[in-house]
Amino acid sequence: MTVTGTNWVLSIPSITEAGTNYAGTYESATNQVILTVSVPLLLGNGKISVHYEPNPIWNASLVLSAKRTNNGNTVCALCTITGGTTYQTVTQTDIELFRIQAILALASYTGINIQLQLSGVSVTIPATTYNSKVVFTISAI
């Protein structure tokens, strides 16, 4: 699997009026992360999982989510890609994002777009810079 894209740098606007809060939920571009995935013929099926790693700090009140926004491109007539089209909360433990299934063929997809969402942004979270690294893995079902 190859993962490309750019860092999502989110600038939260300043609060200018007493008693107000932040919007709370923010979305990246629909193609913030682009995956190229190949499932070997012997494996036949694969699942793509995702987790995050604080880099170096993250606040547990912030909720990072991910979803697949397209099917990508493939020349495999008997291959399917399923799941992951609604936001799923990304944790520090791998969660399955979507599956690729192939019948008697090498399943190879390019241009699978992933969108990220950040929620839980609030004035109650200490003001600082929070960073995390999103990690994608492929494995047998």
PDB file of all heavy atoms in Angstrom, residues 112-136:
ATOM      1  N   ILE A 112      -7.740   5.836  -4.189  1.00  0.00           N
ATOM      2  CA  ILE A 112      -8.800   5.726  -3.187  1.00  0.00           C
ATOM      3  C   ILE A 112      -8.658   6.932  -2.260  1.00  0.00           C
ATOM      4  O   ILE A 112      -7.662   7.071  -1.558  1.00  0.00           O
ATOM      5  CB  ILE A 112      -8.701   4.414  -2.386  1.00  0.00           C
ATOM      6  CG1 ILE A 112      -8.797   3.206  -3.315  1.00  0.00           C
ATOM      7  CG2 ILE A 112      -9.778   4.376  -1.306  1.00  0.00           C
ATOM      8  CD1 ILE A 112      -8.495   1.884  -2.637  1.00  0.00           C
ATOM      9  N   ASN A 113      -9.660   7.805  -2.278  1.00  0.00           N
ATOM     10  CA  ASN A 113      -9.603   9.047  -1.502  1.00  0.00           C
ATOM     11  C   ASN A 113     -10.160   8.860  -0.097  1.00  0.00           C
ATOM     12  O   ASN A 113     -11.198   8.231   0.091  1.00  0.00           O
ATOM     13  CB  ASN A 113     -10.388  10.158  -2.205  1.00  0.00           C
ATOM     14  CG  ASN A 113      -9.754  10.574  -3.516  1.00  0.00           C
ATOM     15  OD1 ASN A 113      -8.560  10.400  -3.725  1.00  0.00           O
ATOM     16  ND2 ASN A 113     -10.549  11.125  -4.393  1.00  0.00           N
ATOM     17  N   ILE A 114      -9.461   9.463   0.863  1.00  0.00           N
ATOM     18  CA  ILE A 114      -9.865   9.428   2.261  1.00  0.00           C
ATOM     19  C   ILE A 114     -10.034  10.858   2.763  1.00  0.00           C
ATOM     20  O   ILE A 114      -9.168  11.709   2.533  1.00  0.00           O
ATOM     21  CB  ILE A 114      -8.811   8.703   3.141  1.00  0.00           C
ATOM     22  CG1 ILE A 114      -8.495   7.304   2.596  1.00  0.00           C
ATOM     23  CG2 ILE A 114      -9.241   8.673   4.607  1.00  0.00           C
ATOM     24  CD1 ILE A 114      -9.644   6.329   2.619  1.00  0.00           C
ATOM     25  N   GLN A 115     -11.166  11.113   3.444  1.00  0.00           N
ATOM     26  CA  GLN A 115     -11.431  12.414   4.042  1.00  0.00           C
ATOM     27  C   GLN A 115     -11.343  12.274   5.558  1.00  0.00           C
ATOM     28  O   GLN A 115     -11.757  11.262   6.123  1.00  0.00           O
ATOM     29  CB  GLN A 115     -12.818  12.911   3.643  1.00  0.00           C
ATOM     30  CG  GLN A 115     -13.138  14.309   4.143  1.00  0.00           C
ATOM     31  CD  GLN A 115     -14.463  14.827   3.594  1.00  0.00           C
ATOM     32  OE1 GLN A 115     -15.348  14.060   3.224  1.00  0.00           O
ATOM     33  NE2 GLN A 115     -14.606  16.141   3.543  1.00  0.00           N
ATOM     34  N   LEU A 116     -10.799  13.294   6.207  1.00  0.00           N
ATOM     35  CA  LEU A 116     -10.673  13.304   7.665  1.00  0.00           C
ATOM     36  C   LEU A 116     -11.628  14.320   8.266  1.00  0.00           C
ATOM     37  O   LEU A 116     -11.997  15.308   7.620  1.00  0.00           O
ATOM     38  CB  LEU A 116      -9.243  13.649   8.070  1.00  0.00           C
ATOM     39  CG  LEU A 116      -8.152  12.720   7.528  1.00  0.00           C
ATOM     40  CD1 LEU A 116      -6.778  13.264   7.873  1.00  0.00           C
ATOM     41  CD2 LEU A 116      -8.335  11.313   8.053  1.00  0.00           C
ATOM     42  N   GLN A 117     -12.020  14.068   9.497  1.00  0.00           N
ATOM     43  CA  GLN A 117     -12.894  14.979  10.227  1.00  0.00           C
ATOM     44  C   GLN A 117     -12.363  15.116  11.649  1.00  0.00           C
ATOM     45  O   GLN A 117     -11.943  14.130  12.264  1.00  0.00           O
ATOM     46  CB  GLN A 117     -14.315  14.426  10.266  1.00  0.00           C
ATOM     47  CG  GLN A 117     -15.307  15.303  11.011  1.00  0.00           C
ATOM     48  CD  GLN A 117     -16.655  14.625  11.142  1.00  0.00           C
ATOM     49  OE1 GLN A 117     -16.789  13.642  11.871  1.00  0.00           O
ATOM     50  NE2 GLN A 117     -17.652  15.125  10.422  1.00  0.00           N
ATOM     51  N   LEU A 118     -12.380  16.329  12.158  1.00  0.00           N
ATOM     52  CA  LEU A 118     -12.002  16.583  13.543  1.00  0.00           C
ATOM     53  C   LEU A 118     -13.213  17.159  14.260  1.00  0.00           C
ATOM     54  O   LEU A 118     -13.821  18.127  13.797  1.00  0.00           O
ATOM     55  CB  LEU A 118     -10.838  17.579  13.618  1.00  0.00           C
ATOM     56  CG  LEU A 118     -10.361  17.920  15.025  1.00  0.00           C
ATOM     57  CD1 LEU A 118      -9.714  16.696  15.683  1.00  0.00           C
ATOM     58  CD2 LEU A 118      -9.393  19.088  14.996  1.00  0.00           C
ATOM     59  N   SER A 119     -13.577  16.551  15.369  1.00  0.00           N
ATOM     60  CA  SER A 119     -14.697  17.058  16.166  1.00  0.00           C
ATOM     61  C   SER A 119     -14.270  17.128  17.625  1.00  0.00           C
ATOM     62  O   SER A 119     -13.210  16.640  18.001  1.00  0.00           O
ATOM     63  CB  SER A 119     -15.942  16.186  15.982  1.00  0.00           C
ATOM     64  OG  SER A 119     -15.683  14.859  16.360  1.00  0.00           O
ATOM     65  N   GLY A 120     -15.116  17.733  18.430  1.00  0.00           N
ATOM     66  CA  GLY A 120     -14.799  17.879  19.849  1.00  0.00           C
ATOM     67  C   GLY A 120     -14.027  19.140  20.172  1.00  0.00           C
ATOM     68  O   GLY A 120     -13.620  19.350  21.313  1.00  0.00           O
ATOM     69  N   VAL A 121     -13.814  20.004  19.167  1.00  0.00           N
ATOM     70  CA  VAL A 121     -13.077  21.245  19.395  1.00  0.00           C
ATOM     71  C   VAL A 121     -13.939  22.155  20.282  1.00  0.00           C
ATOM     72  O   VAL A 121     -15.097  22.408  19.983  1.00  0.00           O
ATOM     73  CB  VAL A 121     -12.743  21.948  18.061  1.00  0.00           C
ATOM     74  CG1 VAL A 121     -12.019  23.269  18.309  1.00  0.00           C
ATOM     75  CG2 VAL A 121     -11.909  21.029  17.183  1.00  0.00           C
ATOM     76  N   SER A 122     -13.363  22.617  21.384  1.00  0.00           N
ATOM     77  CA  SER A 122     -14.123  23.400  22.361  1.00  0.00           C
ATOM     78  C   SER A 122     -13.189  24.340  23.112  1.00  0.00           C
ATOM     79  O   SER A 122     -11.978  24.087  23.215  1.00  0.00           O
ATOM     80  CB  SER A 122     -14.803  22.446  23.345  1.00  0.00           C
ATOM     81  OG  SER A 122     -15.337  23.156  24.434  1.00  0.00           O
ATOM     82  N   VAL A 123     -13.766  25.394  23.672  1.00  0.00           N
ATOM     83  CA  VAL A 123     -12.973  26.319  24.493  1.00  0.00           C
ATOM     84  C   VAL A 123     -12.495  25.648  25.780  1.00  0.00           C
ATOM     85  O   VAL A 123     -11.620  26.176  26.452  1.00  0.00           O
ATOM     86  CB  VAL A 123     -13.775  27.603  24.831  1.00  0.00           C
ATOM     87  CG1 VAL A 123     -14.056  28.409  23.585  1.00  0.00           C
ATOM     88  CG2 VAL A 123     -15.050  27.286  25.589  1.00  0.00           C
ATOM     89  N   THR A 124     -13.048  24.491  26.114  1.00  0.00           N
ATOM     90  CA  THR A 124     -12.634  23.791  27.333  1.00  0.00           C
ATOM     91  C   THR A 124     -11.322  23.017  27.151  1.00  0.00           C
ATOM     92  O   THR A 124     -10.757  22.543  28.121  1.00  0.00           O
ATOM     93  CB  THR A 124     -13.731  22.817  27.804  1.00  0.00           C
ATOM     94  OG1 THR A 124     -13.947  21.828  26.785  1.00  0.00           O
ATOM     95  CG2 THR A 124     -15.033  23.555  28.090  1.00  0.00           C
ATOM     96  N   ILE A 125     -10.855  22.902  25.915  1.00  0.00           N
ATOM     97  CA  ILE A 125      -9.589  22.215  25.647  1.00  0.00           C
ATOM     98  C   ILE A 125      -8.458  23.236  25.732  1.00  0.00           C
ATOM     99  O   ILE A 125      -8.553  24.303  25.118  1.00  0.00           O
ATOM    100  CB  ILE A 125      -9.617  21.543  24.259  1.00  0.00           C
ATOM    101  CG1 ILE A 125     -10.688  20.452  24.233  1.00  0.00           C
ATOM    102  CG2 ILE A 125      -8.252  20.964  23.894  1.00  0.00           C
ATOM    103  CD1 ILE A 125     -10.899  19.835  22.872  1.00  0.00           C
ATOM    104  N   PRO A 126      -7.398  22.936  26.482  1.00  0.00           N
ATOM    105  CA  PRO A 126      -6.297  23.896  26.609  1.00  0.00           C
ATOM    106  C   PRO A 126      -5.740  24.310  25.238  1.00  0.00           C
ATOM    107  O   PRO A 126      -5.566  23.478  24.353  1.00  0.00           O
ATOM    108  CB  PRO A 126      -5.245  23.126  27.413  1.00  0.00           C
ATOM    109  CG  PRO A 126      -6.032  22.092  28.159  1.00  0.00           C
ATOM    110  CD  PRO A 126      -7.171  21.728  27.259  1.00  0.00           C
ATOM    111  N   ALA A 127      -5.477  25.599  25.100  1.00  0.00           N
ATOM    112  CA  ALA A 127      -4.963  26.137  23.838  1.00  0.00           C
ATOM    113  C   ALA A 127      -3.497  25.763  23.663  1.00  0.00           C
ATOM    114  O   ALA A 127      -2.643  26.130  24.471  1.00  0.00           O
ATOM    115  CB  ALA A 127      -5.130  27.647  23.808  1.00  0.00           C
ATOM    116  N   THR A 128      -3.222  24.983  22.642  1.00  0.00           N
ATOM    117  CA  THR A 128      -1.861  24.616  22.251  1.00  0.00           C
ATOM    118  C   THR A 128      -1.959  23.988  20.876  1.00  0.00           C
ATOM    119  O   THR A 128      -3.037  23.883  20.298  1.00  0.00           O
ATOM    120  CB  THR A 128      -1.201  23.652  23.271  1.00  0.00           C
ATOM    121  OG1 THR A 128       0.193  23.540  22.957  1.00  0.00           O
ATOM    122  CG2 THR A 128      -1.848  22.288  23.258  1.00  0.00           C
ATOM    123  N   THR A 129      -0.840  23.543  20.350  1.00  0.00           N
ATOM    124  CA  THR A 129      -0.833  22.862  19.065  1.00  0.00           C
ATOM    125  C   THR A 129      -0.901  21.358  19.303  1.00  0.00           C
ATOM    126  O   THR A 129      -0.089  20.804  20.036  1.00  0.00           O
ATOM    127  CB  THR A 129       0.448  23.206  18.272  1.00  0.00           C
ATOM    128  OG1 THR A 129       0.463  24.614  18.059  1.00  0.00           O
ATOM    129  CG2 THR A 129       0.481  22.492  16.940  1.00  0.00           C
ATOM    130  N   TYR A 130      -1.897  20.715  18.686  1.00  0.00           N
ATOM    131  CA  TYR A 130      -2.051  19.269  18.786  1.00  0.00           C
ATOM    132  C   TYR A 130      -1.750  18.660  17.422  1.00  0.00           C
ATOM    133  O   TYR A 130      -2.192  19.170  16.399  1.00  0.00           O
ATOM    134  CB  TYR A 130      -3.472  18.897  19.219  1.00  0.00           C
ATOM    135  CG  TYR A 130      -3.818  19.415  20.595  1.00  0.00           C
ATOM    136  CD1 TYR A 130      -4.589  20.554  20.756  1.00  0.00           C
ATOM    137  CD2 TYR A 130      -3.360  18.763  21.732  1.00  0.00           C
ATOM    138  CE1 TYR A 130      -4.902  21.036  22.022  1.00  0.00           C
ATOM    139  CE2 TYR A 130      -3.667  19.231  22.996  1.00  0.00           C
ATOM    140  CZ  TYR A 130      -4.435  20.375  23.133  1.00  0.00           C
ATOM    141  OH  TYR A 130      -4.731  20.838  24.380  1.00  0.00           O
ATOM    142  N   ASN A 131      -1.017  17.563  17.428  1.00  0.00           N
ATOM    143  CA  ASN A 131      -0.673  16.870  16.184  1.00  0.00           C
ATOM    144  C   ASN A 131      -0.856  15.374  16.366  1.00  0.00           C
ATOM    145  O   ASN A 131      -0.625  14.840  17.450  1.00  0.00           O
ATOM    146  CB  ASN A 131       0.794  17.114  15.794  1.00  0.00           C
ATOM    147  CG  ASN A 131       1.049  18.540  15.398  1.00  0.00           C
ATOM    148  OD1 ASN A 131       0.541  19.001  14.389  1.00  0.00           O
ATOM    149  ND2 ASN A 131       1.822  19.252  16.210  1.00  0.00           N
ATOM    150  N   SER A 132      -1.243  14.715  15.282  1.00  0.00           N
ATOM    151  CA  SER A 132      -1.274  13.257  15.289  1.00  0.00           C
ATOM    152  C   SER A 132      -0.887  12.762  13.907  1.00  0.00           C
ATOM    153  O   SER A 132      -0.970  13.496  12.924  1.00  0.00           O
ATOM    154  CB  SER A 132      -2.652  12.721  15.684  1.00  0.00           C
ATOM    155  OG  SER A 132      -3.599  13.018  14.696  1.00  0.00           O
ATOM    156  N   LYS A 133      -0.458  11.537  13.876  1.00  0.00           N
ATOM    157  CA  LYS A 133      -0.096  10.872  12.622  1.00  0.00           C
ATOM    158  C   LYS A 133      -1.127   9.787  12.377  1.00  0.00           C
ATOM    159  O   LYS A 133      -1.422   8.987  13.266  1.00  0.00           O
ATOM    160  CB  LYS A 133       1.310  10.263  12.734  1.00  0.00           C
ATOM    161  CG  LYS A 133       1.757   9.535  11.495  1.00  0.00           C
ATOM    162  CD  LYS A 133       3.226   9.138  11.509  1.00  0.00           C
ATOM    163  CE  LYS A 133       3.669   8.447  12.762  1.00  0.00           C
ATOM    164  NZ  LYS A 133       5.025   7.906  12.688  1.00  0.00           N
ATOM    165  N   VAL A 134      -1.717   9.775  11.168  1.00  0.00           N
ATOM    166  CA  VAL A 134      -2.700   8.766  10.809  1.00  0.00           C
ATOM    167  C   VAL A 134      -1.969   7.647  10.063  1.00  0.00           C
ATOM    168  O   VAL A 134      -1.253   7.908   9.105  1.00  0.00           O
ATOM    169  CB  VAL A 134      -3.824   9.374   9.939  1.00  0.00           C
ATOM    170  CG1 VAL A 134      -4.833   8.314   9.542  1.00  0.00           C
ATOM    171  CG2 VAL A 134      -4.506  10.515  10.688  1.00  0.00           C
ATOM    172  N   VAL A 135      -2.140   6.409  10.541  1.00  0.00           N
ATOM    173  CA  VAL A 135      -1.425   5.261   9.989  1.00  0.00           C
ATOM    174  C   VAL A 135      -2.419   4.276   9.377  1.00  0.00           C
ATOM    175  O   VAL A 135      -3.380   3.875  10.031  1.00  0.00           O
ATOM    176  CB  VAL A 135      -0.605   4.546  11.102  1.00  0.00           C
ATOM    177  CG1 VAL A 135       0.138   3.346  10.543  1.00  0.00           C
ATOM    178  CG2 VAL A 135       0.351   5.535  11.761  1.00  0.00           C
ATOM    179  N   PHE A 136      -2.171   3.897   8.117  1.00  0.00           N
ATOM    180  CA  PHE A 136      -3.009   2.930   7.413  1.00  0.00           C
ATOM    181  C   PHE A 136      -2.239   1.612   7.273  1.00  0.00           C
ATOM    182  O   PHE A 136      -1.036   1.630   7.017  1.00  0.00           O
ATOM    183  CB  PHE A 136      -3.372   3.440   6.018  1.00  0.00           C
ATOM    184  CG  PHE A 136      -4.255   4.654   6.035  1.00  0.00           C
ATOM    185  CD1 PHE A 136      -3.708   5.930   6.093  1.00  0.00           C
ATOM    186  CD2 PHE A 136      -5.641   4.528   6.018  1.00  0.00           C
ATOM    187  CE1 PHE A 136      -4.524   7.053   6.124  1.00  0.00           C
ATOM    188  CE2 PHE A 136      -6.462   5.642   6.043  1.00  0.00           C
ATOM    189  CZ  PHE A 136      -5.891   6.904   6.099  1.00  0.00           C
TER     190      PHE A 136
END
